Amino acid sequence: MADDDTDLKLRLQRERGAARGAIGRAWARRWVRILAYLAILGLIGLAGLWYAVARDLPSVDKLRAYESPLPTNVRGGDGLPIHSYARLRRVELSFDEYPPLLVRAFLAAEDRTFFEHSGVDYPGIVAAVITNLRSDRRPVGASTITQQVAKNLLVGNEVSYVRKAREALLAYKIEDALTKQQILELYLNQIELGRNAAGVEAAAHAYFDRDLNELSLAQFAYLAILPKGPANYSPERNYERAMGRRNWVLGEMLRNNFITQAQHDGAVVQPLGTANRRTPRFERSAGYFVEEVRRELLDRFGENSEDGPYSVYAGGLWVRTSFDRRLQGYAQEALREGLLRYDRGRGWAGPLAHVDGVDTDTWLVPLLNSNIGLDYSDWRAGIVTDLGAAAATLGFADGSTGTLPRSGAQMPVRGVGGTAFPALKVGDIIAVAPSGGQWALRSVPKISGGFVVEEPATGRVLAMQGGFDSRLGSFNRATQALRQPGSTIKPIVYSAALASGMTPATLIVDGSFCVYQGARLGQKCFRNFGNMRAAGPKTMRWGIEQSRNLMTVRTAATVGMPKVVDYIQRLGVSKDKFPPYLSYALGAGETTVLRMVNAYSMLVNHGRALDPTLIDYVQNRRGQVIWPADWRACDGCNARDWNGRAMPRPQTRWRQAIDPLTAFQMVHITEGVIQRGTATVLRDLKRPIMGKTGTTTGPTDVWFVGGTPQMIGGLYIGYDSPQKLGGWIQGGTFAAPMFKTFAEKAYKDLPVLPFRAPPGIRMVRIDRASGRPVFGTFPTSDDPRAGVIWEAFKPQSEARRPRRTAADDARPKAVQPKAAGPAERPRDSDFLQREGGIY
């Protein structure tokens, strides 16, 4: 047994030695060593190539959870769309919603063996490699639809063979993870087809202005050629090339038995039938409103998908706003008419913009890139493309041209003199209007302003106009222009006085008032607007109605400016407290139209704090409300019929900013501004209206803020760089009539409602001039200047009739002399008429 083991060991040793000898003899040969080195290098190369291709390869799981970048859609208060925030227009469809002929057209054009291969078309790759080796141009590929999905969604668009290899490897994984129908659905929803359209549904609207299911076979074939390069087959520039490529797709469909010969023959003779390129049709008057909504959404959710799942340009949000297109149209019209009325007769203000390097062949792109347009009446923005001695040639954004004769540009040039026609230059973008088959020059006002309408019960902003036209500039003067509010601040100053114990009947001296400001500034003496003469002691109501500066600063000094600026901040006029200087009681601080309108809305809302809102709620792409975070649906608010129960109301959480009794007292006082004060132009609207006019020093700005229980509106006009408007421009003579232009239409069908008093208010008859209570006489509602009016008092603050006591009854009565005759006998009525009542 031991001998057998020894023989086995010896035999194994001999075999090993022989093997080492054979390897040594082979390695000694040169060609064997070369082959070995090449094999090692090949393995290293393959490992490196695998690392380069597979390194950081994205997971296919991303496709399962993939959500397309979708635009944000904005709707008004009535639920109708008003705008869309999108860099690419996209409408997602499921595979079942795609017409079968459309799918066949794309397969014929892009990947006819799509349903047979496993992600990669090997014959096509070989042909592409041979073509690339023979050419030094940009490499061409034979990408399948699956590879295109991998490139578009996961890999990227780098031009390299490594990227193609990564794309092919990922295509295999996609085919294992998704069905063919799911892959096609991703492809047809994602592919960019020109005219800012992503996906075939958006492209159908962009090129044919129809839904996808309304297109013909020829139109399906045209869409199928666009993935190769939309610009190459533009119907405007490459019509014949597009027709040839479309007919090639139809031929491929016939060759692959996707369509019949009759379908092919009927389609190839059809024209392209594309519509002119156009921007999406949205509410034109909503420009400033939707831009303010966009700013708020950007602050809250971010801009792109990197900022989160609910970004403005990728999150597919559905935004419900408080926008009222009817009120917006009225506000826009009122502001524009006022600006044009002021600017009329002042001459041409110059071009809207100027573009260098323009000629008769290269004007369209610079005009479109300027993004300047007009939607007022029949005005249009045109660019001067050629200039002669008798006429100028104009180009318009739709590609058409027109003529501006010298006679159509004869208005003087503002601040320069001479007529406008010689001042024109090629490249000027100007405002024109049709005139006798040609065009006539128009002047867009240099003066501007802002207008806001708010619902005081909720703080919802119903309309917003921030200038003449949003396409002339995105600066929103309703929210971004900080202006001095002038006398519109006075109701807030007097609200602080009412909260400090004064009443609407308190007598305040309308007389000279000076303060010492220190050794450097010396004595400061205030004065009434227009240097109006002092009137002596007058009631607070009269001082507000007549907008007396001297009474206002005297009141502010009595109450204390710290309390006044505190009330200004409480009502949201300023974010931070103004310095406690008396000039701020006359409107020296800066604020916006939106803040002033919201402050007056808070007064009407019984002093409850309001945050002005443009957005009611935001939904994600699945319809879930994501903002406000505590949003709750109002069950039953949209019920068709009354169920006999209490009226459903949305949930509201109020914070009291100022005392409700004080707020109502000020609303009641400012109704007198309309009846007897500086805004009597609104009196013939014949409904309860509160409000206040404002005129700043210069004047540089004129204001009106006010309205009814249903809505509060406010506006100002002034130059962006403040300059004097002219002495004849005042809040009561210019801003209030502009508001009336709006109110006549806006309030036309609304019920006439009074301002509701909060619990605790006492309505007392007083003499309007003296503020003393009156007994035995009632106010006449039809006479705004009646001597006796109803006034609102807080409990225990109104003057009362003296109470008669037992001691008064025991006191000896004076002996009255016998009257000489009936004609000489004094009467109580004479005393009442003479003294104005019993106190």
Side-chain angles (χ1 to χ4, degrees), residues 60 117-122 125 146-147 150 165-178:
V60 180
H117 64 65
S118 58
V120 178
D121 180 11
Y122 292 106
I125 291 177
T146 310
Q147 288 177 274
R166 287 165 58 85
E167 180 184 292
L169 182 60
L170 194 57
Y172 280 116
K173 293 186 176 183
I174 292 173
E175 292 277 349
D176 287 338
L178 303 177

Side-chain angles (χ1 to χ4, degrees), residues 268-339:
V268 294
V269 297
Q270 294 182 13
L272 290 182
T274 54
N276 292 330
R277 182 167 187 164
R278 65 187 70 182
T279 57
R281 294 187 292 269
F282 294 117
E283 177 62 44
R284 294 191 302 172
S285 65
Y288 290 105
F289 191 101
V290 297
E291 176 59 20
E292 195 64 26
V293 170
R294 188 184 76 93
R295 291 190 183 107
E296 185 172 339
L297 292 173
L298 287 175
D299 290 341
R300 191 174 300 279
F301 299 113
E303 182 175 358
N304 299 311
S305 55
E306 295 80 9
D307 300 317
Y310 303 134
S311 62
V312 173
Y313 288 98
L317 304 179
W318 292 87
V319 182
R320 184 67 170 261
T321 70
S322 53
F323 179 81
D324 187 312
R325 67 187 66 233
R326 183 181 66 92
L327 297 179
Q328 176 67 32
Y330 297 155
Q332 182 187 74
E333 179 184 1
L335 183 64
R336 284 177 168 179
E337 286 186 2
L339 299 177

Side-chain angles (χ1 to χ4, degrees), residues 84 174 210 222 286 291 550 557 566 634 655 691 700 803 805:
S84 177
I174 292 173
R210 295 180 183 176
Y222 175 75
E291 176 59 20
L550 291 175
D566 177 59
C634 178
R655 177 179 59 84
T700 57
R803 176 177 296 176
T805 65

